[in-house]
């Protein structure tokens, strides 16, 4: 469930005034999303390090944040985005292969619907990693982190119209990749 | 000229067509309308196409949401962030990462499994997944167990008048008025008692959904006094911690401790059972120490110095509070122990003594044989194993040890069958194997926790042993197995502590010796691990050694109190035929044919047993310290292991009650360990140091 925007802004203000516990609550709200974002941008091995950097940078700069239309979510993901850019500049020759055997650690995994067993999570995420970075980014931010086009626009530096097109192309490409792997019931 | 005219005439029809086209162009308003229609059509196509991706999007969400931060990373990073935040607030104005702590934190970018001697500032605890506990999970509730007087809970800004049984969540604040008291029971079976005029915030309630024995509970004491009893945290990751002013007190395994916050942010922590780790953040540095039973640490938040550590005060008020809570703790522990064994028994079904038992057994076997699905079959086997285990408990309670042993063998056999299936299908059925592994881990962890209070002198101890062996057998690889065996070794030490406290020093000594044997085995096996696993195993070993050194200090103290606090006469039977004293079991009949008379022997026997225990502890402690040095030397050889280098730097000094028990000096080819009584030097060789020549004990 997407966290309440007002609650987030309140926690940000409290953090700016030095409330460490409020920052802890912000961390709880964003940790999974930021980690996933990093996971699908730079791969498993670097995701933890970069996630840590995101929160360190967030704390360091939180007093510079000013409430805006796009909100704190866009701001923190923008930090993440910039760190990824820096990372690629430094390590552009490194490649990361995503293992298709991603283990599903969620409680829901224990009661996974049999109908979906044939569509292994690893195949989907493996195909996701084959997409160009922008395609990956829009799919993760839009459908998983549930950000608005306004927020994503601020993160990726694109207009809303461009984002809608990008999203459609990303879905087409993903579907094509899955069909090539024999998954057709989509 | 004529050429120009003829060309012009040739293009005249074209000109005419163009002028016609111009005349027939759409008017501006029609252009606009057509543009809108085309765009709407495109948008509709996109929307239709987008709608057709609904299933794909749903599948994509599920796949991506399966990715969550691994291990204890989430918890560890949270603590690091909060520490950094708290320190930077204290050290205003906020600077950038030029600050010593900020740079140090940036330098430490990876964290590995197992806990370290220094906790969240300088060390880590290890892996699990971050999920907030759903209040609906019956076994993992946090609630207000008792309420007297005016007790209020604040939740999301609203105040709630509460009654016993009120379910608590993360971020709830509990406040007791003057004359009021409250008792909170936590999801990990720990209990906290709030004194009057006390305010506490529950800042973290954490259970690993894949391994429910791994828990983290954190409370923040903002004013007043809080007594906490940690009853049975069964693995190295789990902990219960209380933050107060600029201190953090962390309890693992078992402990009882008291935290109070006075005026001007003065905090005081006292350890009343086993030990706790206390970290204090002063303006200049971070101080960490281990407090053992009977010692307290007092600190002012503004004081630039380390905490004052002293024996717990003899003030009447303090003693009354301590005595009252220790007494209530005993009752609570007995209740938890009873609950645990009752819960195990509830899975027994029809007992082995019942005439219907053979029918039930046949029915279960038939069901399993006819289960077509592999996964369902494994689940049934696990269920059957659990039933066998519960039946074994019933037999042990009826003193049928042979029958129980047979059932435990069947239990082990069933677990082995499931483990074999997992190993055979690990590649081809990854998600199914994961499902079964999780169920198995959960089952074993749950039962292990229910038996955590059972001691070797209890009749049910064979059950605890069986669970330990099953946990090792089902571990996923040599490194995980080593880790589980280190956990079992740590449990032996904890049992030794409890036995020593009860005055049974002979039994305590046996546990210490078993611990030592297990640790030696693991240490010698680690060097044979496949490449890539040695680093992790060595890291686990370092952690285990450090914790065990502290635990041995506590056992030595517990042995003292167990013998001296309640002097008891030890009844013995003197076998006059052999003149051999034997411990008499009260009420037990004398062996047939034995002529004997019961002789009361005084404290000299108890003192003799205590001396034996002390000797064992000294030997084992020296061995543990030596092995620590060897492991550290081995760790230095792991060139690709910066995390190990970090870990070594963090354990330069092991402190108990503010005093050093081990000082470590590390150079590339030598490790020097100084204790209050010895200096041990370990020099590296070309082969693994874990099988190196004996260390040299240097004269002081």
């Amino acid at each position: 469930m997407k966290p309440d925007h007002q609650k987030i802004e309140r926690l940000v203000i409290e953090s700016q005034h030095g409330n460490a516990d409020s920052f802890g609550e912000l961390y709880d709200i964003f940790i999974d999303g930021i980690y996933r974002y990093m996971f699908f941008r730079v791969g498993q091995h670097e995701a933890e390090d970069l996630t840590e950097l995101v929160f360190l940078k967030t704390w360091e700069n939180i007093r510079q944040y000013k409430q805006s239309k796009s909100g704190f979510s866009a701001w923190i993901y923008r930090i993440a985005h910039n760190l990824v850019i820096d990372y690629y500049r430094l390590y552009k020759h490194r490649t990361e292969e995503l293992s298709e055997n991603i283990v599903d650690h969620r409680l829901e995994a224990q009661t996974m619907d049999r109908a979906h067993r044939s569509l292994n999570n690893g195949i989907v995420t493996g195909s996701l990693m084959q997409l160009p970075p922008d395609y990956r980014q829009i799919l993760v931010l839009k459908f998983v982190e549930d950000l608005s086009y306004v927020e994503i626009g601020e993160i990726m530096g694109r207009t809303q119209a461009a984002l809608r097109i990008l999203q459609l192309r990303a879905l087409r490409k993903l579907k094509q990749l899955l069909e090539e792997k024999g998954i057709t019931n989509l | 000229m004529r050429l120009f005219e003829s060309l012009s005439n040739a293009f005249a029809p074209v000109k005419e067509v163009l002028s016609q086209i111009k005349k027939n162009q759409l008017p501006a308003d029609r252009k606009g309308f057509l543009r809108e229609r085309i765009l709407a059509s495109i948008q509709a196509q996109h929307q239709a196409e987008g709608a057709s991706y609904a299933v794909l999007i749903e599948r994509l969400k599920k796949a991506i949401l399966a990715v969550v931060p691994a291990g204890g990373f989430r918890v560890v990073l949270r603590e690091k962030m909060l520490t950094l935040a708290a320190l930077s607030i204290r050290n205003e104005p906020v600077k950038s990462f030029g600050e010593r702590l900020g740079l140090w934190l940036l330098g430490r970018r990876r964290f590995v499994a197992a806990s370290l001697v220094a906790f969240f500032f300088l060390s880590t605890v290890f892996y699990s997944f971050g999920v907030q506990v759903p209040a609906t999970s019956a076994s993992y509730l946090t609630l207000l167990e008792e309420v007297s007087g005016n007790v209020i809970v604040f939740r999301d800004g609203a105040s709630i008048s509460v009654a016993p049984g009120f379910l608590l969540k993360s971020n709830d604040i509990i406040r007791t008025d003057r004359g009021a008291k409250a008792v909170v029971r936590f999801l990990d079976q720990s209990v906290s008692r709030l004194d009057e005029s006390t305010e506490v915030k529950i800042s973290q309630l954490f259970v690993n959904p894949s391994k429910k024995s791994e828990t983290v509970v954190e409370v923040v004491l903002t004013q007043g006094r809080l007594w906490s009893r940690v009853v049975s945290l069964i693995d190295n990751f789990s902990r219960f911690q209380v933050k107060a002013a600029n201190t953090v007190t962390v309890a693992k395994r078992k402990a009882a401790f008291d935290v109070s916050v006075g005026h001007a942010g003065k905090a005081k922590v006292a350890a009343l059972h086993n030990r706790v780790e206390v970290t204090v953040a002063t303006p200049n540095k971070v101080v960490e120490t281990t407090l053992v039973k009977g010692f307290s640490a007092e600190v002012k938040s503004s004081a630039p110095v380390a905490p004052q550590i002293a024996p717990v005060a003899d003030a009447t008020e303090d003693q009354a509070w301590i005595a009252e809570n220790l007494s209530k703790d005993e009752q609570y522990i007995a209740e938890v122990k009873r609950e645990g064994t009752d819960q195990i028994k509830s899975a027994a079904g029809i007992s082995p003594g019942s005439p219907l038992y053979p029918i039930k057994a046949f029915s279960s076997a038939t069901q399993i044989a006819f289960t077509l699905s592999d996964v369902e079959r494994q689940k049934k086997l696990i269920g059957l194993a659990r039933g066998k285990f519960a039946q074994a408990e019933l037999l042990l309670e009826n003193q049928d040890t042979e029958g129980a042993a047979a059932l435990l063998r069947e239990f082990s056999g069933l677990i082995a069958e499931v483990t074999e299936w997992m190993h055979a299908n690990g590649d081809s059925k990854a998600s199914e194997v994961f499902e079964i592994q999780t169920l198995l881990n959960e089952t074993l962890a749950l039962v292990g926790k229910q038996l955590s209070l059972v001691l070797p002198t209890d009749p049910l101890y064979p059950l605890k042993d069986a669970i330990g062996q099953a946990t090792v057998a089902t571990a996923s690889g040599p490194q995980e197995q080593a880790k589980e065996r280190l956990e079992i070794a740590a449990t032996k030490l904890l049992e030794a502590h409890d036995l020593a406290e009860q005055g049974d020093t002979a039994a305590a000594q046996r546990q210490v010796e078993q611990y030592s044997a297990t640790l030696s085995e693991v240490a010698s096996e680690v060097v044979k691990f496949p490449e890539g696993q040695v680093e992790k195993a060595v890291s686990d070993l370092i952690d285990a050694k450090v914790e065990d050194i502290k635990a041995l200090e506590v056992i030595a103290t517990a042995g003292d109190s167990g013998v001296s606090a309640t002097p008891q006469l030890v009844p013995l039977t003197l076998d006059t035929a052999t003149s051999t004293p034997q411990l008499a079991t009260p009420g037990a009949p004398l062996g047939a044919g034995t002529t004997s008379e019961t002789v009361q022997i005084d404290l000299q026997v108890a003192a003799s047993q205590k001396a034996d225990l002390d000797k064992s502890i000294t030997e084992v402690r020296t061995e543990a310290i030596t092995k620590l040095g060897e492991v550290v030397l081995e760790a230095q050889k792991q060139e690709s292991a910066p995390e190990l280098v970090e870990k070594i730097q963090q354990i330069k000094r092991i402190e108990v009650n503010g005093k050093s028990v081990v000082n470590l000096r590390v150079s590339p080819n030598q490790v020097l360990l100084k204790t209050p009584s010895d200096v041990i030097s370990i020099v590296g060789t070309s082969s693994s140091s874990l099988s190196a020549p004996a260390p040299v004990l240097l004269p002081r």
Side-chain angles (χ1 to χ4, degrees), chain B residues 6-26:
Chain B
S6 63
L7 279 174
S8 185
N9 291 336
F11 280 107
V14 175
K15 278 187 197 172
E16 196 173 325
V17 166
L18 285 175
S19 67
Q20 283 294 326
I21 289 173
K22 229 175 168 179
K23 276 183 201 170
N24 290 331
Q25 273 191 351
L26 288 172

Side-chain angles (χ1 to χ4, degrees), chain A residues 7 15 17-25 27-28 31-32 35-36 39-40 44-53 55-57 59-60 63 91 94 101-107 109-114 116-117 119-122 124-125 128 139-140 142-146 164-165 167-168 170-175 178 185-186, chain B residues 43 45-47 49-50 52-53 55-71 73-82 84-86 88-89 92 94-97 102 105-106 108-111 127 129-130 132 134 156 171 201 203 209-210 212 220 243 373 375-376 379 427 430-432 434-435 438-439 442:
Chain A
K7 179 180 175 182
S15 301
H17 283 92
N19 189 328
D21 288 338
S22 297
F23 186 71
E25 287 189 53
Y27 170 90
D28 292 335
I31 177 62
D32 282 358
Y35 176 84
R36 272 193 290 268
F39 185 99
F40 287 105
Q44 194 166 6
H45 287 304
E46 299 299 333
E48 283 185 2
D49 287 353
L50 289 178
T51 300
E52 185 176 332
L53 273 178
F55 285 99
L56 290 173
K57 284 265 179 210
W59 174 253
E60 184 187 10
R63 289 183 185 185
Y91 299 108
R94 276 170 67 164
N101 289 325
I102 292 172
V103 178
D104 187 343
H105 295 287
R106 292 169 305 143
L107 198 57
Q110 297 172 20
T111 56
M112 197 168 16
D113 185 353
R114 279 180 186 278
H116 288 160
R117 290 270 174 91
L119 190 53
N120 186 289
N121 279 348
V124 173
T125 45
L128 187 65
L139 292 179
V140 170
K142 182 66 193 150
F143 296 120
V144 180
E145 306 313 326
D146 203 22
R164 288 177 208 275
I165 303 290
Q167 173 190 308
L168 201 56
L171 287 169
R172 273 186 205 146
K173 185 68 184 168
L174 180 64
K175 187 173 178 180
L178 289 169
N185 56 338
L186 295 166
Chain B
Q43 197 169 1
Q45 279 178 23
H46 282 177
Q47 280 173 353
E49 191 180 349
S52 73
Y53 290 125
V55 173
L56 172 61
I57 290 167
E58 201 49 44
R59 204 63 204 93
L60 183 66
K61 270 188 194 171
K62 276 191 179 165
I64 295 176
L65 284 171
V67 175
V68 289
F73 168 75
R74 165 200 271 258
V75 174
V76 168
L77 181 57
R78 187 183 199 279
E79 303 233 336
K80 201 158 78 164
M81 290 298 112
L82 289 186
L84 176 64
S88 61
I89 291 162
E92 293 280 50
V94 175
K95 294 182 184 173
S96 70
F97 289 119
L105 285 171
L106 266 183
R108 279 144 181 81
R109 297 185 48 188
R110 288 186 185 271
F111 289 90
Y127 296 118
F129 303 105
Q132 290 302 317
D156 296 329
N171 299 318
K201 178 180 177 180
S203 53
S210 303
K212 289 193 175 143
V220 180
K243 287 187 179 174
S373 154
V375 171
E376 290 307 313
K379 286 181 184 174
D427 293 329
S431 60
E432 285 90 341
F434 176 73
E435 187 182 344
T438 303
L439 178 62
E442 194 174 312

Side-chain angles (χ1 to χ4, degrees), chain A residues 31-121:
Chain A
I31 177 62
D32 282 358
I34 294 292
Y35 176 84
R36 272 193 290 268
Y37 180 84
M38 285 306 184
F39 185 99
F40 287 105
R41 292 293 308 272
V42 302
Q44 194 166 6
H45 287 304
E46 299 299 333
E48 283 185 2
D49 287 353
L50 289 178
T51 300
E52 185 176 332
L53 273 178
V54 168
F55 285 99
L56 290 173
K57 284 265 179 210
T58 300
W59 174 253
E60 184 187 10
N61 295 296
I62 198 161
R63 289 183 185 185
Q64 278 93 58
Y65 167 77
K66 286 182 178 40
Q67 195 170 359
S68 64
K69 193 170 142 193
S70 46
F72 183 78
S73 299
W75 189 77
I76 192 171
Y77 276 100
R78 184 78 197 173
I79 291 175
H81 173 81
N82 291 340
L83 280 170
V84 171
I85 303 292
D86 293 342
Y87 169 81
Y88 278 131
R89 277 201 201 110
L90 282 173
Y91 299 108
K92 56 185 171 186
H93 56 280
R94 276 170 67 164
T95 55
E96 175 70 28
E97 297 245 345
L98 179 69
S99 166
E100 290 208 354
N101 289 325
I102 292 172
V103 178
D104 187 343
H105 295 287
R106 292 169 305 143
L107 198 57
E108 294 92 299
Q110 297 172 20
T111 56
M112 197 168 16
D113 185 353
R114 279 180 186 278
H116 288 160
R117 290 270 174 91
S118 62
L119 190 53
N120 186 289
N121 279 348

Side-chain angles (χ1 to χ4, degrees), chain B residues 29-188:
Chain B
D29 59 333
R30 287 292 295 171
K31 274 188 198 175
F33 175 69
L34 197 59
R35 181 176 178 276
E36 290 305 317
R37 275 187 62 177
I38 291 169
L39 284 179
S41 174
I42 292 171
Q43 197 169 1
Q45 279 178 23
H46 282 177
Q47 280 173 353
E49 191 180 349
S52 73
Y53 290 125
V55 173
L56 172 61
I57 290 167
E58 201 49 44
R59 204 63 204 93
L60 183 66
K61 270 188 194 171
K62 276 191 179 165
I64 295 176
L65 284 171
V67 175
V68 289
F73 168 75
R74 165 200 271 258
V75 174
V76 168
L77 181 57
R78 187 183 199 279
E79 303 233 336
K80 201 158 78 164
M81 290 298 112
L82 289 186
T83 306
L84 176 64
L87 272 183
S88 61
I89 291 162
R90 195 169 292 116
N91 292 320
E92 293 280 50
V94 175
K95 294 182 184 173
S96 70
F97 289 119
E99 275 292 312
R100 182 181 65 229
L101 185 61
L103 284 174
W104 181 87
L105 285 171
L106 266 183
R108 279 144 181 81
R109 297 185 48 188
R110 288 186 185 271
F111 289 90
V112 297
S115 60
L116 291 178
V117 62
F119 46 102
F120 69 94
F121 269 99
L122 301 176
S123 65
T124 62
V125 289
F126 297 103
Y127 296 118
S128 182
F129 303 105
V131 170
Q132 290 302 317
V133 178
T136 52
S137 171
S139 302
Y140 298 93
L141 296 176
T142 296
L143 51 88
L144 267 173
E145 198 162 67
E146 289 172 31
V147 168
S148 78
N150 192 22
V151 178
I152 301 173
V153 168
F154 295 90
R155 181 178 289 173
D156 296 329
S159 67
I160 310 167
S161 287
V162 294
F166 181 81
L167 281 181
L168 293 164
K169 296 182 188 176
S170 285
N171 299 318
D172 279 352
I173 296 172
I174 308 157
R175 186 188 292 164
T176 55
D177 277 354
R178 184 183 279 279
K181 299 208 174 180
V183 180
V184 179
R185 178 169 174 165
F186 293 94
L187 54 84
D188 62 356

Side-chain angles (χ1 to χ4, degrees), chain B residues 115-117 236 275 277 543-551:
Chain B
S115 60
L116 291 178
V117 62
N236 219 13
R275 71 183 200 268
E277 312 288 336
D543 296 337
K545 290 289 178 192
V546 168
E547 288 299 308
D548 295 343
I549 287 167
K550 290 188 211 171

